[in-house]
Amino acid sequence: MGRDFVYVILGGGVAAGYAALEFTKKGVARGELCVVSDEPVAPYERPALSKGFLLPEGPARLPGFHTCVGANEEKLTPNWYKEHGIELMLGTRVISADTRRKTLLTATGETITYKYLIIATGAQALKLEEIGINGSKAENVCYLRDLADATKLVNMMRMCTGVNAIVVGGGYIGMECAASLVMNKINVTIVFPGSYCMGRLFSSKIARYYEDFYESKGVNFIKGTSLSSFVFNSEGKVTGANLKDGRYLHADMVVVGIGARPNTSLFEGQLTFENKGIKVNSRLQTSNTSVYAVGDVASFPVKLFGDTRRLEHVDAARKTAKHAVHAIMEPKTVSDIDYLPFFYSRVFSLSWQFYGDNVGEVVHFGDFSGTKFGAYWVNNKRLVGCFLEGGGNDEYVAIANAIRLKPVVLDLGELERAGLDFVMAV
Ligand code: FDA
Ligand code: NAD
């Protein structure tokens, strides 16, 4: 059995949806494009799973958050793909790829042939077993990567009102899920080995603000240690956790967010890798000229900082996807990708955005006892990054514009005194 397409997108997540939309904008013909995804639903805005999807009242549900609503573009429902003559192969897992023969093999034995392939396979949640702890399969242990995980988490939350949850990990998933659990009236203890939450991005001062805020909502932080094992009942449900520092925590449910790993194994030994991802050039093209990689799997050149990065954030997925399609469909007019790293989160009534790079010296500004504050990062006398909680749209636009210019900063004290006025005046 075989299917033949000009363009194939492997993966059905954020990047796939944005790539599909871009293909239609560039005039792809009916029957030329195929999206292959092992998920049972059409591409959706994954960030909704840890936010709107988990709300106790009026939660977001599909088809409400199919791509590309997150960027105020069209909503690509399954019908949209049909109307545009795009083959959407859902529930279809690709089990091997041959970049020399330009073929993919599905779990059902079908061979898909392409002229151009876009790899958009994203990442998977790291499992507890990978750090030596058993229990991932217990019915009250939840991860959060896809719709099935989010549905399990919602069902657990409904059954667990008023009881205790342990959140393992103090990164994005841990912090966003902890807020949702609290909103669903569940008592939360977060456990992670670092000395403060969101250690990959926050300064300790920023982290302190969020930890205090969470504590005011009843969340308990246990830092500087991690899980050593779970305790199970006779039905195999987790009833508690032993920590490495000797403490024991009772648990009615557990949410795990200990990091992610890019889904690249199909291409090991066939393409060039960097930063645990598939290395691409400034046109998102891999070491094989017919194959492009976008989103969480792509390690791409970030011109602004003169290096190659793999970013696990939705804005990068959207923009790398769009750029790859431009490069494939209009190679003569495409320029090198020039991406400004952008991350955000929303929890409780809080909302922050970050642009650039968090390296160098940190200069905090604003009112850390109020609702609007932030931080700059200055590296080699240049402003390279900015975090802002509680900003308005014009301020975030000003930050993005300023960071792109990397203005010179000679006096950190002056920068601190100027606060947001500094970027507003750039
Ligand atoms: P994505 O994971 O979206 O899609 C990959 C697709 O490939 C999936 O459909 C998968 O099933 C499929 N696939 C993989 N292997 C396959 C195979 N062998 N065969 C067939 N299909 C296969 N970022 C941010 O900036 N702000 C935010 O608020 C959030 N919030 C957030 C919440 C949650 C719960 C998660 C898990 C992640 C976020 N993110 C985020 C990160 C963001 O969602 C992420 O960077 C993008 O989804 C990456 O898009 P991709 O398309 O690369 O992967
Ligand atoms: P993460 O890397 O943000 O956080 C991992 C956390 O696990 C860290 O706090 C780390 O200290 C902790 N940890 C590591 N080992 C541990 C251990 N043994 N015990 C307890 N804690 C341990 O990863 P994540 O939160 O799992 O997020 C997964 C993916 O989803 C990432 O790609 C992330 O970018 C993405 N995501 C992004 C957003 C956003 O951008 N707003 C939101 C949700 C998810």
Side-chain angles (χ1 to χ4, degrees), residues 200-204 206 353-365 374-388 403 407 409 412 415:
R200 284 199 296 151
L201 179 67
F202 288 2
S203 66
S204 57
I206 295 174
Q353 296 191 12
F354 172 83
Y355 293 86
D357 207 0
N358 59 332
V359 293
E361 287 176 274
V362 193
V363 174
H364 296 98
F365 62 82
Y376 291 121
W377 278 261
V378 178
N379 197 29
N380 296 328
K381 300 208 182 307
R382 285 191 174 268
L383 186 66
V384 294
C386 182
F387 172 97
L388 179 63
I403 299 300
V409 175
L412 297 184
L415 180 66

Side-chain angles (χ1 to χ4, degrees), residues 131 168-173 176 191 193 200 226 257-259 312-313 344:
I131 55 168
V168 186
Y172 288 96
I173 292 286
E176 292 184 5
V191 185
R200 284 199 296 151
S226 58
I258 55 169
E312 295 176 348
H313 293 276
Y344 73 91

Side-chain angles (χ1 to χ4, degrees), residues 147-370:
L147 195 62
D149 295 337
T151 305
K152 175 176 173 179
L153 178 53
V154 166
N155 291 338
M156 282 310 308
M157 290 196 299
R158 286 207 184 119
M159 285 191 291
C160 287
T161 302
V163 301
N164 298 312
I166 300 177
V167 171
V168 186
Y172 288 96
I173 292 286
M175 293 300 280
E176 292 184 5
C177 287
S180 297
L181 288 161
V182 168
M183 288 194 281
N184 282 276
K185 301 195 172 12
I186 293 165
N187 307 314
V188 178
T189 299
I190 305 189
V191 185
F192 56 87
S195 54
Y196 57 84
C197 69
M198 292 287 294
R200 284 199 296 151
L201 179 67
F202 288 2
S203 66
S204 57
K205 188 175 166 94
I206 295 174
R208 184 74 245 164
Y209 178 92
Y210 291 95
E211 289 176 12
D212 286 349
F213 192 96
Y214 274 63
E215 278 169 356
S216 77
K217 301 279 182 189
V219 173
N220 178 29
F221 283 85
I222 299 185
K223 301 183 273 189
T225 187
S226 58
L227 231 62
S228 67
S229 62
F230 282 130
V231 176
F232 301 91
N233 68 12
S234 56
E235 291 156 14
K237 270 175 91 169
V238 169
T239 54
N242 295 308
L243 305 188
K244 285 192 178 144
D245 67 3
R247 274 185 270 190
Y248 170 81
L249 298 175
H250 167 73
D252 298 286
M253 64 178 287
V254 178
V255 180
V256 184
I258 55 169
R261 169 183 313 109
N263 294 318
T264 55
S265 57
L266 293 173
F267 300 95
E268 266 153 35
Q270 301 192 66
L271 301 174
T272 303
F273 278 62
E274 191 170 332
N275 308 325
K276 296 185 182 156
I278 298 169
K279 186 176 178 178
V280 293
N281 64 18
S282 55
R283 293 163 180 226
L284 285 311
Q285 193 173 35
T286 69
S287 50
N288 179 312
T289 53
S290 307
V291 181
Y292 292 69
V294 297
D296 283 5
V297 292
S299 201
F300 68 100
V302 177
K303 213 173 174 180
L304 192 63
F305 298 118
D307 56 15
T308 298
R309 296 182 185 199
R310 198 178 60 74
L311 300 171
E312 295 176 348
H313 293 276
V314 72
D315 183 64
R318 292 170 181 162
K319 296 202 171 128
T320 53
K322 201 172 157 176
H323 204 89
V325 175
H326 189 170
I328 292 169
M329 299 287 279
E330 294 171 355
K332 291 207 172 92
T333 65
V334 75
S335 50
D336 292 346
I337 192 164
D338 187 6
Y339 183 68
L340 170 66
F342 162 56
F343 320 142
Y344 73 91
S345 184
R346 290 189 299 272
V347 286
F348 297 116
S349 55
L350 306 173
S351 170
W352 59 258
Q353 296 191 12
F354 172 83
Y355 293 86
D357 207 0
N358 59 332
V359 293
E361 287 176 274
V362 193
V363 174
H364 296 98
F365 62 82
D367 181 7
F368 273 76
S369 57

Side-chain angles (χ1 to χ4, degrees), residues 11 13-15 38-39 46 50-51 94 121-122 145 296 313-314:
V14 171
D38 59 1
E39 291 197 71
R46 201 163 300 281
S50 55
K51 302 173 190 69
V94 169
T121 42
R145 184 73 208 181
D296 283 5
H313 293 276
V314 72

